[in-house]
Amino acid sequence: MMHDHRRVTFERLASQYAEEQEKLKEQKKRRRKGLVRRMSVFGILMFAMFIFTVFTLHSQHTTIQQQEQQQEELDETLVYLQQEETDLREEIELLQDYDYIAEIARRDFFLTKPGETLFQLPRSSSD
């Protein structure tokens, strides 16, 4: 009978050890599931941040290109307006000269000085 008692004790110890090992396996499995979930959520968040960053950089790049193009157009306009200003200042200075005004009056309005005779020549076909 002593032999039976050892067997029961051994079986109980073996089954208790097996239960503890099973609990440890279940605990590891739950921890691993939790880790996989956390890593998945972290990965999704990182991917979302990456997409947001790429979208933001693309948007800023497009805006910068548009502003550079607008800057080039404005620079060209500025150069044109500065040249026009120079031309107008020269015109203002020339309009202070009586001889220049008389030349314009003769050319554009066919006016003459007293005692002058105006001869109008036919325009050539090449003009």
Side-chain angles (χ1 to χ4, degrees):
M1 288 225 188
M2 201 170 182
H3 187 48
D4 266 346
H5 181 42
R6 280 185 177 173
R7 187 175 236 184
V8 172
T9 306
F10 177 74
E11 284 179 10
R12 197 174 334 133
L13 283 177
S15 68
Q16 192 176 22
Y17 176 77
E19 285 177 17
E20 287 176 11
Q21 289 302 314
E22 194 64 35
K23 284 181 184 178
L24 285 175
K25 281 184 183 179
E26 283 296 319
Q27 201 173 32
K28 282 183 180 180
K29 205 182 231 186
R30 276 187 267 131
R31 284 183 183 168
R32 186 163 178 85
K33 269 188 178 178
L35 177 65
V36 168
R37 285 182 187 151
R38 285 192 302 273
M39 293 302 286
S40 297
V41 169
F42 180 73
I44 290 170
L45 288 175
M46 290 302 291
F47 183 72
M49 286 177 56
F50 175 75
I51 294 298
F52 176 75
T53 303
V54 167
F55 177 76
T56 302
L57 289 175
H58 176 69
S59 174
Q60 289 176 351
H61 180 71
T62 303
T63 302
I64 288 171
Q65 280 183 328
Q66 289 173 346
Q67 288 177 347
E68 286 175 348
Q69 182 179 5
Q70 187 178 16
Q71 180 68 35
E72 288 176 11
E73 292 171 1
L74 290 174
D75 287 342
E76 290 173 7
T77 304
L78 178 64
V79 168
Y80 171 77
L81 290 175
Q82 286 174 338
Q83 182 61 43
E84 188 175 351
E85 178 187 21
T86 303
D87 294 344
L88 290 173
R89 288 190 187 278
E90 289 174 5
E91 183 76 17
I92 288 171
E93 196 159 316
L94 287 173
L95 287 172
Q96 304 299 319
D97 183 20
Y98 179 76
D99 292 333
Y100 180 74
I101 295 172
E103 183 183 323
I104 290 176
R106 282 191 190 109
R107 183 189 69 209
D108 294 344
F109 302 108
F110 306 108
L111 299 177
T112 60
K113 291 182 182 179
E116 274 186 335
T117 305
L118 179 65
F119 294 100
Q120 190 171 6
L121 300 173
R123 297 183 183 244
S124 65
S125 61
S126 64
D127 283 347

